[in-house]
Amino acid sequence: MSNAQLRKVLITGAGTGFGYEAAMRLAEKGFDVIAAVEIWAQVQTLKWRAAERGVKLRVEKLDVTDAGDRRKALNWGVEILVNNAGVGEGGSTVDIPESNIRNQFEVNVTGPLVLTQGIAKQMAERHAGRIVWVSSREGLNVNPFTGIYAASKHAVEAIAETMAYELQEHGVEVATVNPGPFLTGFNDRMFQTWESWADDASERLFDYSELAFPRAQFDPEAVYATLTAVAAGEVDSFRNLEPKSMIEETKRLQEVPWLRKVTDGLGTRHQAIQNSYDMEPETPVSG
């Protein structure tokens, strides 16, 4: 089998957002799509939505942190794996409770990696396969109050790049898709997770009721199209950042730590933090 013949796709986190739309579009293109959702309650709902859209999906319950669910996936003959499942924990690096930090990495890093290990070995045995990691622009840059989420996506970047080197001799393609700020609800939900923290609110450094996601957000169509194209093998670049209008800014911000002094701005509020105080939730990009 060549990679041009790959047809069976597993997409994790397909109940909502980017994964949902990519699953639908790949099915419309004629791929054999296994749309995986975290909980049983999402299974029937996704089946109904697929029927309404007129596409055929196989819907499976797959919590990437559950060892039993991951074992099931090894029997599905996956040829293309889209690691899309993820959560976002908002809050300062000095405030987020330990259990929330651990969950961030279990869902975004450890679970998907262990799932991928087994499937990647099957791909290597066939000498064909494609693995797509849905990372983030936050895997390349950082912002205040999304640092733990960004840390998990920096880890995904390291894993994906290393995996690409390790699997190339076995005929397996690896790519990342890096969404920036898109208006899917995900970013704004990140800034509400503090409401369920099991901590002492009086000990927090910040009052999160005053903060919002600090940037205007784009229409998600660009990510839907790019994620679908990368999974389908229509795009062959390793890193795929959307919106493309933010590529130069992203590269420039990667240089900032090389230039920063430890005394820069001491005693003053960073502008990116002030943006979180000034921004309204779910603000779309204008123009």
Side-chain angles (χ1 to χ4, degrees):
M1 174 183 286
S2 72
N3 284 347
Q5 298 172 302
L6 302 175
R7 304 309 295 171
K8 182 170 282 190
V9 188
L10 169 60
I11 304 181
T12 64
T16 59
F18 300 141
Y20 168 84
E21 188 62 27
M24 295 292 183
R25 295 189 184 197
L26 286 165
E28 288 169 350
K29 284 176 171 287
F31 284 84
D32 181 3
V33 178
I34 304 170
V37 295
E38 180 188 5
I39 58 175
W40 286 111
Q42 295 174 294
V43 171
Q44 193 59 46
T45 299
L46 186 53
K47 288 180 179 179
W48 288 332
R49 290 180 176 175
E52 289 171 357
R53 190 134 161 187
V55 301
K56 182 180 179 181
L57 291 179
R58 173 180 171 183
V59 183
E60 295 281 355
K61 186 263 187 188
L62 172 55
D63 177 349
V64 296
T65 68
D66 185 284
D69 283 0
R70 293 194 301 260
R71 280 194 299 271
K72 288 190 308 183
L74 296 178
N75 298 317
W76 296 343
V78 175
E79 297 170 348
I80 303 169
L81 172 60
V82 180
N83 282 315
N84 171 74
V87 295
E89 186 70 45
S92 168
T93 54
V94 300
D95 279 340
I96 296 177
E98 177 184 355
S99 61
N100 298 71
I101 295 170
R102 291 185 182 281
N103 183 66
Q104 179 73 96
F105 278 84
E106 285 295 319
V107 177
N108 287 13
V109 183
T110 307
L113 176 55
V114 176
L115 171 69
T116 303
Q117 287 178 331
I119 293 174
K121 288 172 183 174
Q122 294 175 339
M123 293 177 175
E125 187 174 346
R126 293 192 297 264
H127 211 74
R130 182 175 302 123
I131 298 168
V132 181
W133 290 89
V134 179
S135 179
S136 173
R137 183 173 180 264
E138 295 278 295
L140 308 171
N141 297 155
V142 298
N143 283 289
F145 309 123
T146 58
I148 299 303
Y149 171 73
S152 74
K153 292 302 186 179
H154 274 66
V156 165
E157 289 292 318
I159 290 165
E161 187 172 356
T162 307
M163 187 175 286
Y165 299 144
E166 293 166 345
L167 294 181
Q168 70 177 38
E169 67 185 272
H170 299 287
V172 179
E173 302 171 7
V174 180
T176 70
V177 175
N178 299 69
F182 285 91
L183 194 52
T184 64
F186 182 88
N187 297 315
D188 297 286
R189 287 195 299 272
M190 250 199 306
F191 275 71
Q192 295 175 316
T193 57
W194 62 271
E195 296 177 11
S196 62
W197 288 354
D199 67 339
D200 183 346
S202 69
E203 296 181 354
R204 296 174 188 167
L205 195 59
F206 293 92
D207 179 355
Y208 295 100
S209 66
E210 298 181 357
L211 301 175
F213 184 75
R215 297 192 67 139
Q217 300 176 67
F218 294 88
D219 184 297
E221 172 57 35
V223 180
Y224 298 157
T226 294
L227 179 55
T228 302
V230 173
E234 298 165 357
V235 172
D236 64 1
S237 49
F238 168 77
R239 176 171 289 157
N240 300 275
L241 189 147
E242 292 290 352
K244 291 181 176 62
S245 61
M246 296 185 78
I247 290 176
E248 290 309 312
E249 177 189 350
T250 300
K251 291 179 178 179
R252 177 175 55 80
L253 289 174
Q254 287 181 297
E255 296 294 321
V256 168
W258 293 97
L259 306 174
R260 180 178 173 84
K261 301 291 190 295
V262 295
T263 54
D264 286 353
L266 283 185
T268 66
R269 176 176 287 167
H270 194 282
Q271 183 58 52
I273 288 182
Q274 186 59 48
N275 292 345
S276 286
Y277 285 94
D278 296 340
M279 185 67 70
E280 292 295 322
E282 299 186 1
T283 299
V285 172
S286 59

